[in-house]
Amino acid sequence: MNAAHGLAIRGAWHPATETALSTLPATLGVFEIADSSGQIQLIGYAGGRSLFGLRSTLATALADNSSIGLKFRVEQNMQYISRWKELLMLHFSQHGTLPPLNSAEDGVGLGRLGPAIQGDLP
Amino acid sequence: MIDFTPTQEQQALIDLVRRFVREEIVPLEADLDPDASELRPEDAARLEAKVRALGLYGMDVPEEFGGAGLDVMTRTLLAFEMTQHRGGLYAPCYGVFGGAGLAQLYDASDDQKERYLYPMLRGEKHGYFGLSEPSGGSDPARAIRTRAVKDGDDWIINGSKLWISGADKADFGVVFTRTGEGRDGITAFIVDSDTPGFQVRRVVHTMRSTHYATELSFDDARVSDRNRLGEVGKGFALANGRLSAQRIPYAAQCIGVAEVAHRMAVEYSKLRETFGQPLAARQGIQWMLVENEIDLRSARLLVLQAAAKADAGEPFRTEAAVAKIVATEGAGRVVDRAMQIHGGLGVSKELPLERWYRELRIRRIGEGPTEVQKLIIARDLLGRVAG
């Protein structure tokens, strides 16, 4: 079997609107932001130093980027760093790159899922 | 009576590492996520250069391979210090002192040393230790089901491994396979990560937020006999050879974070007032602090005793097992009491206590669970009748 077995976020996609953001829990967790075609643009996490967890972290991430037409999905998770890395590895195993809005630093020391996947990481 | 007073040289090293932790590591943690186990790359590089300049890089590496070559006692005394920060239990000083790498490679052939050991010590290659399987890890002689079958000059490996750290970032692994029956039926191989048929199947999340384990699979993975590590059937000894000695600094690390937790609890109990009195004035709190003191002092002495026996060249398997049990169990209790004394603050991510609480729970299982340590001690006490 060639596919990596990391699990994607299972939650539903929400449009990047103020209303959708305001209903988010202020908890720790991971999130993905995608464009209207579903291409993931950014994988991030709300960590222990975030002011209002997923709610404020996602609001900041969406404010940093042009959020028109973007959508997001979240997963509450106490293991937010290892889960974040898993999602990055999963994305890398499927696309050979990190999402375009993730920084190069996010890929430093990132592991690989699956068999000898080729691609460039810092 | 055994005197555990550090020598002048040891005390100088203790002071140096203590200062390094307080002045270089702790300030950086203020800007890191509370669960972080890595420094920013530029900080890590800067501090590693400092450690190299101090001559302390690679303190777990034997001198003959270019390391600091510390004895077990000195290494243990430094382990008490290196862990005294938020990320310290599983990332002492965030790795800037370097690691031992895979100790099994010290016994490799010259050719294997050239291809794997030396690049690993130079930080050019990374390896993983592939022992545990879904069927178990504490009893490898029976639990290993991953099979290696000879095929001409090669071996064909089939099976899976579980709870493996670092395999997703590794260039190779030391993989223990079954080539025969029982204890003499285990053979180790060095498997390159680009070997067709090998893959990191998934991440396994645990209570540690940043250090995950992985599950690996080997489907007709072909490995040259040149990559067999040691003799056929001698893998069990290779896997177990250095385990007892590793348990001593492992135990000391637990005491390191527990000592910080205890100091925090003592300080907080004097500051925090309830019903018109500081917590420290309450007998209930005093007794918790006294119990912390007892747990820490007894664990420290037993760990040092094990280290002294190891350095003296005497049998120390029982001492290491006792130290591992007392330190891991005791440190867990100390952090638990410190959290209780801190109340709501204790369980929040504002303080490192909740992280240590989670991570110390794993320590009662890692490097051989408490129950396996008891089995080791019982065998030494009772001989074969203990099973």
Side-chain angles (χ1 to χ4, degrees):
Chain A
M1 189 179 287
N2 279 338
H5 297 263
L7 293 170
I9 294 179
R10 286 183 181 156
W13 288 100
H14 303 281
T17 62
E18 275 189 35
T19 310
L21 284 171
S22 67
T23 60
L24 281 177
T27 56
L28 308 173
V30 291
F31 62 83
E32 290 173 334
I33 295 174
D35 63 17
S36 56
S37 69
Q39 294 295 310
I40 291 179
Q41 302 295 302
L42 177 72
I43 298 171
Y45 69 85
R49 296 209 191 282
S50 57
L51 200 54
F52 291 102
L54 285 165
R55 193 188 307 155
S56 59
T57 308
L58 250 170
T60 305
L62 288 165
D64 285 349
N65 305 299
S66 173
S67 59
I68 298 166
L70 295 181
K71 53 188 181 179
F72 67 84
R73 60 183 176 183
V74 303
E75 177 184 293
Q76 295 181 53
N77 199 319
M78 290 289 286
Q79 279 67 41
Y80 49 91
I81 295 182
S82 59
R83 183 71 172 115
W84 174 63
K85 289 189 174 181
E86 180 185 27
L87 290 172
L88 287 175
M89 286 193 276
L90 185 61
H91 189 279
F92 187 83
S93 74
Q94 291 166 345
H95 302 280
T97 62
L98 294 181
L101 296 178
N102 279 93
S103 69
E105 198 175 307
D106 293 343
V108 174
L110 192 69
R112 307 282 179 99
L113 279 174
I117 296 148
Q118 300 304 310
D120 295 323
L121 277 174
Chain B
M1 184 180 157
I2 310 170
D3 182 10
F4 292 131
T5 308
T7 64
Q8 274 191 335
E9 193 183 24
Q10 285 169 338
Q11 190 59 53
L13 282 172
I14 290 168
D15 293 342
L16 192 144
V17 170
R18 187 176 294 168
R19 202 164 53 244
F20 187 89
V21 169
R22 285 184 185 165
E23 293 176 6
E24 304 284 3
I25 299 292
V26 172
L28 293 176
E29 290 188 320
D31 292 327
L32 293 177
D33 186 273
D35 275 8
S37 62
E38 289 163 7
L39 294 175
R40 291 189 180 83
E42 60 273 23
D43 289 326
R46 177 176 56 82
L47 293 183
E48 187 183 305
K50 273 195 176 186
V51 171
R52 283 183 187 276
L54 291 168
L56 284 174
Y57 189 80
M59 62 170 64
D60 292 317
V61 176
E63 213 164 4
E64 61 185 295
F65 296 110
L70 300 180
D71 57 28
V72 181
M73 176 63 82
T74 309
R75 181 66 189 88
T76 300
L77 291 166
L78 296 186
F80 289 140
E81 301 298 328
M82 290 175 68
T83 49
Q84 299 206 7
H85 59 95
R86 187 188 286 265
L89 188 60
Y90 276 97
C93 295
Y94 294 97
V96 298
F97 282 80
L102 287 163
Q104 290 71 28
L105 292 179
Y106 299 137
D107 300 320
S109 69
D110 289 345
D111 165 58
Q112 290 166 345
K113 282 177 184 159
E114 288 295 334
R115 289 187 291 133
Y116 298 102
L117 175 66
Y118 300 131
M120 180 185 73
L121 294 176
R122 290 193 297 267
E124 296 162 6
K125 281 190 175 181
H126 299 280
Y128 65 87
F129 183 71
L131 180 69
S132 295
E133 299 198 4
S135 48
S138 293
D139 178 19
R142 291 179 185 84
I144 288 178
R145 292 182 186 170
T146 294
R147 281 210 165 264
V149 177
K150 193 93 191 310
D151 182 38
D153 289 337
D154 298 333
W155 294 78
I156 308 295
I157 300 178
N158 279 287
S160 60
K161 296 284 174 183
L162 189 60
W163 312 116
I164 309 301
S165 295
D168 56 311
K169 300 175 185 177
D171 303 285
F172 67 91
V174 172
V175 177
F176 294 85
T177 66
R178 180 157 298 287
T179 51
E181 297 308 312
R183 211 171 253 232
D184 295 328
I186 309 293
T187 304
F189 294 92
I190 303 171
V191 180
D192 290 309
S193 295
D194 59 2
T195 302
F198 164 77
Q199 69 165 319
V200 181
R201 281 176 60 83
R202 66 184 177 106
V203 165
V204 184
H205 300 280
T206 67
M207 295 166 82
R208 282 184 282 172
S209 173
T210 53
H211 284 73
Y212 48 83
T214 59
E215 181 178 338
L216 316 178
S217 64
F218 301 84
D219 297 309
D220 290 331
R222 182 176 287 272
V223 177
S224 163
D225 190 57
R226 191 181 166 211
N227 274 26
R228 175 169 43 78
L229 187 58
E231 292 175 42
V232 173
K234 299 298 178 192
F236 183 79
L238 202 62
N240 275 288
R242 296 171 194 265
L243 281 182
S244 290
Q246 284 171 0
R247 280 183 190 126
I248 301 170
Y250 186 87
Q253 291 172 338
C254 301
I255 298 170
V257 292
E259 282 181 346
V260 188
H262 179 48
R263 284 202 301 270
M264 289 168 63
V266 168
E267 212 168 293
Y268 188 74
S269 70
K270 290 193 271 190
L271 294 172
R272 176 71 167 170
E273 289 197 2
T274 56
F275 308 102
Q277 275 191 311
L279 286 178
R282 314 271 180 207
Q283 191 180 51
I285 300 294
Q286 289 169 4
W287 286 21
M288 288 164 81
L289 294 171
V290 170
E291 283 159 6
N292 277 0
E293 197 68 29
I294 293 167
D295 275 334
L296 286 169
R297 285 178 189 237
S298 50
R300 197 177 174 94
L301 283 172
L302 287 165
V303 168
L304 291 175
Q305 186 198 30
K309 275 221 159 191
D311 282 338
E314 296 172 26
F316 63 98
R317 190 171 61 173
T318 285
E319 283 75 8
V322 168
K324 203 269 178 183
I325 294 172
V326 174
T328 55
E329 301 272 346
R333 289 192 297 268
V334 168
V335 171
D336 183 62
R337 291 186 200 107
M339 286 174 83
Q340 191 71 13
I341 289 169
H342 279 83
L345 197 55
V347 296
S348 79
K349 285 191 176 291
E350 311 269 311
L351 299 182
L353 296 171
E354 65 84 29
R355 177 173 178 171
W356 296 337
Y357 181 82
R358 283 183 282 125
E359 293 183 341
L360 277 168
R361 182 62 188 85
I362 303 171
R363 288 278 166 138
R364 286 164 53 195
I365 297 170
E367 290 284 324
T370 294
E371 293 70 26
V372 171
Q373 303 306 319
K374 287 182 178 174
L375 189 67
I376 291 168
I377 299 164
R379 277 181 186 157
D380 282 351
L381 276 175
L382 301 166
R384 280 185 170 273
V385 72

